[in-house]
Amino acid sequence: MYVPQHFAPDEDAVRDLLTNHGASDLITLTPQGLMATLLPFEYDPDAGEKGALIGHMARANGQWREPVQGEAMVIVRGPEAYVTPSWYPTKAEHHRVVPTWNYMIAHVYGKFVVHDDPVWIEAQIRRLTDRHEADLAEPWSVDQAPAKFVERQLRAVVGVEVVISRIEAKFKLSQNQPRENVEGVISGLEARGRADDGAVAAAVRAHNPHSPTATS
């Protein structure tokens, strides 16, 4: 991944993205060619030396059965948004501005491990469910479903894990712009209100290089 220095996040920022992301793309190179599946992963920082991403997929999905050549890759995305040059105050000065796209992304590489074990899979599903239900007024729990039904569901999936060997991350959040343009991007995103705009505005603010409290 091409990562200019001003778009390189620190380890804490990457860890936060891995912990709080939604679904991600699992990509493996197999004898059948490249294979990919969108999966909701959980980040386990205590697995291996650099942590692991753990998830599950349908047993009928052939990707988990294919031998992996080299490392697996998971593409983890944060919020993203289109940025119009109309938000830049410098546009009125010289018009040397162009549109861009702000985003947060991590390419996570590691060993692909399959867990065909209902105990492991149930623990992963409970962990995943508990995180995504936590902010609801009436959180759903696996225990609310009939035990026999849960057993059948567990037999229909397999657990998957990517034990992390390395991470390449890029947070492109207008850090290369002058102060007034960064402030213009934040205001523009907050006012536009498209999907992800609020989250991207918060990220631009948090990583604003002109702010003394910014993270790198």
Side-chain angles (χ1 to χ4, degrees):
M1 183 193 298
Y2 171 58
V3 187
Q5 185 58 42
H6 41 260
F7 296 149
D10 61 26
E11 291 185 4
D12 288 341
V14 174
R15 189 178 301 111
D16 184 67
L17 175 61
L18 298 184
T19 301
N20 297 299
H21 78 283
S24 301
D25 297 301
L26 169 67
I27 301 170
T28 54
L29 177 60
T30 76
Q32 305 302 316
L34 285 170
M35 303 183 76
T37 302
L38 182 68
L39 298 174
F41 280 100
E42 284 291 293
Y43 174 54
D44 184 354
D46 300 319
E49 294 184 3
K50 299 184 178 181
L53 294 175
I54 59 175
H56 64 278
M57 66 169 57
R59 184 174 293 275
N61 186 330
Q63 185 175 6
W64 70 272
R65 298 180 184 275
E66 293 292 333
V68 176
Q69 300 175 358
E71 296 176 308
M73 180 173 72
V74 179
I75 301 179
V76 179
R77 294 178 177 84
E80 57 185 272
Y82 172 78
V83 174
T84 170
S86 298
W87 292 339
Y88 297 157
T90 59
K91 173 180 176 291
E93 300 173 12
H94 50 63
H95 292 278
R96 293 191 300 273
V97 292
V98 293
T100 192
W101 201 269
N102 276 0
Y103 58 88
M104 306 163 71
I105 195 166
H107 290 178
V108 180
Y109 300 87
K111 180 182 179 182
F112 182 65
V113 180
V114 175
H115 295 274
D116 197 0
D117 172 8
V119 175
W120 190 98
I121 298 168
E122 182 176 356
Q124 190 277 329
I125 290 174
R126 286 179 177 274
R127 178 173 176 173
L128 178 69
T129 303
D130 289 347
R131 176 165 73 91
H132 289 285
E133 292 280 338
D135 61 348
L136 300 181
E138 297 182 8
W140 181 86
S141 167
V142 172
D143 293 321
Q144 294 180 33
K148 293 296 185 182
F149 172 78
V150 172
E151 290 178 10
R152 290 196 299 273
Q153 295 298 306
L154 292 175
R155 289 196 295 269
V157 298
V158 295
V160 294
E161 178 179 15
V162 175
V163 182
I164 299 172
S165 57
R166 58 194 175 97
I167 300 174
E168 297 176 347
K170 182 177 182 179
F171 286 18
K172 183 177 177 296
L173 298 166
S174 300
Q175 301 98 315
N176 59 328
Q177 292 294 328
R179 179 190 299 273
E180 62 268 35
N181 285 359
V182 174
E183 294 172 354
V185 169
I186 294 171
S187 298
L189 288 166
E190 291 177 338
R192 187 175 63 185
R194 293 180 184 172
D196 274 358
D197 279 355
V200 175
V204 172
R205 181 179 288 107
H207 294 270
N208 183 353
H210 309 291
S211 170
T213 60
T215 59
S216 58

